[in-house]
Amino acid sequence: MKNAKPKREPAKTASPERFERQMRDLVNYNLDGILVVGLDGVTLFANPAACTLLNRPLASLLDVEIGLPLSGADYTEIEIRHPDGSLATVEMRVHSIEWEGQPAWLADLRDITERRQAQEALRASEEKMRSIFRAAPTGIGVVCNRVLMDVNHRICEMTGYAKEELIGQSARILYPTQEDFDFVGREKYRQIAGAGTGQVETRWRKKDGAVIDILLASTPIDNKDLSKGVTFTALDITERKLAEDALRKSEERHRQISTLMSDYVYYGVAFPDGSTETQWISGAFERITGYTKEEVNQLQGGYSSLVFPEDLQEVIRQYPNLIKNGTLTVEYRLRCKNGEIRWMLDYIQYVK
């Protein structure tokens, strides 16, 4: 059998004395300041919270003009200067009442200084972020469910679209293919799920149809709720990619040339005792000598260990001329890996 809840006794009508005591407690313990002010501006009543808010004892408030703008709107915000010079922002609501048979004003006062300070700090922070958003040389935007919610001026410069043409559009408008769009969504959000942020290289298509290379980095506004939006930065790396591609092609051409040429070119460091450390050498060297660069550097003395000792001494003897003139032409015999002896004509250039 379930426990029956006891029936609540009907509230008894409070005696006048008890009712007055309850009303007095409601006013005295209210956290808002309460003032009753006559139509002549003289204070008729003030609760403890009003004394605290105005930073004045009760005796200094009663029967004196309070100086508050009580007429007019029933709601206003005012600043109150305390005796110590500090300012408090107060929310005041005013109602007309009857007090001891005479018309009067009832003023409810609430200190909102901290709330106003927090709002001002938030406003200043938001203005600062808007300034960065507008002035940043990098493209910055916000997407929600991959729909463009905001973009800065740099995004418009990069893509050729006006801001109004992008806001509210799917980010698909920026990608040359569905495959590019899908890859970014899949890879970026995979990284975000694992590390809280994502970065990927992709391609965007400008309004005029030109395709540019983009380094895209994204971070959620709230890691726990992606529906609140994702902030992204976009850096145009087209020139960098072109330079990297040109360098790669140049290195490949030089590699092919160095492999096919009958002579070989090397770069390294020579020490006073004649030992060397080869840092780079063309492909023809291995074909001629049978040694790789790594094998030569493992030999005691390095490249110089392949040179006949008496020839090496002659090369070392001419080091001062190399340092003085910057170049040196010498002949020497080189022992190949298979034991074959070859005469080499070496054009050496000194690099500081």
Side-chain angles (χ1 to χ4, degrees), residues 162-347:
K163 185 173 183 177
E164 294 74 19
E165 294 178 293
L166 294 175
I167 302 303
Q169 295 288 333
S170 167
R172 173 66 178 85
I173 191 175
L174 297 174
Y175 293 87
T177 68
Q178 184 67 36
E179 182 181 0
D180 289 313
F181 177 70
D182 292 341
F183 168 74
V184 169
R186 183 172 60 252
E187 178 60 19
K188 183 177 66 174
Y189 287 101
R190 182 191 67 79
Q191 293 181 25
I192 288 175
T197 187
Q199 180 172 294
V200 64
E201 288 189 10
T202 186
R203 301 181 303 162
W204 277 3
R205 182 178 57 202
K206 301 170 63 172
K207 186 177 181 180
D208 63 8
V211 175
I212 58 177
D213 293 295
I214 295 292
L215 179 61
L216 197 64
S218 304
T219 301
I221 294 174
D222 183 345
N223 282 329
K224 297 180 180 178
D225 187 359
L226 295 183
S227 67
K228 292 182 178 179
V230 174
T231 301
F232 68 87
T233 61
L235 182 65
D236 186 347
I237 58 172
T238 304
E239 292 187 2
R240 191 191 80 185
K241 296 287 285 187
L242 290 173
E244 290 175 349
D245 187 57
L247 178 60
R248 181 189 59 77
K249 290 179 178 178
S250 175
E251 290 177 343
E252 178 62 23
R253 285 195 298 268
H254 282 87
R255 187 191 65 79
Q256 292 175 352
I257 292 172
S258 66
T259 300
L260 296 174
M261 64 190 300
S262 59
D263 297 341
Y264 62 84
V265 181
Y266 64 93
Y267 174 81
V269 179
F271 301 99
D273 63 355
S275 61
T276 61
E277 179 183 341
T278 304
Q279 298 178 341
W280 178 84
I281 200 162
S282 63
F285 176 79
E286 183 177 356
R287 189 177 69 250
I288 294 171
T289 68
Y291 287 101
T292 65
K293 182 193 75 172
E294 291 73 21
E295 289 174 329
V296 168
N297 283 334
Q298 289 176 359
L299 298 174
Q300 186 175 0
Y303 179 87
S304 61
S305 65
L306 304 179
V307 181
F308 272 51
E310 55 269 33
D311 297 344
L312 178 61
Q313 291 303 314
E314 178 60 23
V315 174
I316 295 174
R317 189 182 66 80
Q318 297 192 53
Y319 273 179
N321 293 331
L322 173 61
I323 296 173
K324 178 181 178 181
N325 301 322
T327 60
L328 178 66
T329 302
V330 293
E331 292 184 357
Y332 54 79
R333 288 165 293 176
L334 196 71
R335 189 182 303 277
C336 298
K337 192 174 184 179
N338 61 6
E340 181 182 356
I341 308 299
R342 292 202 174 200
W343 276 96
M344 311 301 297
L345 179 63
D346 200 341
Y347 299 93

Side-chain angles (χ1 to χ4, degrees), residues 15-32 34 45-49 99:
S15 65
E17 295 80 7
R18 182 181 180 188
F19 179 76
E20 181 180 351
R21 185 171 61 255
Q22 289 175 338
M23 292 300 101
R24 186 168 58 249
D25 288 345
L26 285 175
V27 172
N28 288 336
Y29 293 113
N30 199 307
L31 296 179
D32 288 350
I34 298 176
F45 173 82
N47 73 340
W99 183 265

Side-chain angles (χ1 to χ4, degrees), residues 62-77:
L62 296 180
D63 299 324
V64 297
E65 290 190 15
I66 192 63
L68 296 178
L70 298 173
S71 60
D74 64 349
Y75 172 83
T76 187
E77 290 183 10

